[in-house]
Amino acid sequence: MQVIIYKLVDGTTNAVEVTEDIYLIHLELVQQEKRNHWKETRRHTSLYYFTDMGIDFEDKRIDIFAEIERKENAERVHKALLTLSDKRRDLVRKCFTRK
């Protein structure tokens, strides 16, 4: 006799004692499920998989150098704002905040 352990959605497990023949059929079904999963993931690789691996794709719609320059300018403005007094900083925010 063999034991098949099922993990249920609620986190509990259930052990079922089965004959050797049924256990072999169960093992074959588990292997077939793994093969099917492998085929699907092989055909449809998620972009998240690539980004998790550190691989990124170039976005042709964005000018990378302009984006870097924009971020650097934003950092400079932020640092300059920190040098102002609270009153002047508040005035600048009121003038340049989008409505």
Side-chain angles (χ1 to χ4, degrees):
M1 294 296 268
Q2 295 285 343
V3 176
I4 299 175
I5 299 176
Y6 293 100
K7 293 181 182 177
L8 304 176
V9 176
D10 63 0
T12 60
T13 58
N14 192 1
V16 178
E17 206 170 294
V18 295
T19 64
E20 190 71 31
D21 293 337
I22 293 176
Y23 186 74
L24 291 175
I25 292 170
H26 170 72
L27 286 180
E28 180 59 35
L29 290 172
V30 168
Q31 288 299 93
Q32 184 63 40
E33 187 177 346
K34 285 181 182 178
R35 284 192 293 272
N36 288 343
H37 178 70
W38 180 79
K39 286 178 190 176
E40 284 299 311
T41 56
R42 191 170 150 243
R43 286 189 319 170
H44 307 287
T45 303
S46 169
L47 289 178
Y48 294 118
Y49 170 79
F50 288 112
T51 54
D52 289 344
M53 298 296 288
I55 301 169
D56 203 2
F57 296 98
E58 181 182 2
D59 189 351
K60 302 286 185 187
R61 298 171 293 169
I62 297 175
D63 181 6
I64 294 173
F65 294 113
E67 186 66 20
I68 291 171
E69 186 175 19
R70 186 193 65 75
K71 286 182 180 180
E72 287 177 351
N73 286 339
E75 286 177 18
R76 281 192 213 112
V77 169
H78 182 69
K79 286 180 182 177
L81 282 173
L82 293 176
T83 64
L84 297 176
S85 67
D86 290 341
K87 196 172 187 179
R88 288 184 178 181
R89 190 178 316 129
D90 191 40
L91 180 63
V92 170
R93 282 195 180 124
K94 286 179 182 178
C95 290
F96 292 100
T97 302
R98 294 182 185 173
K99 294 179 183 180

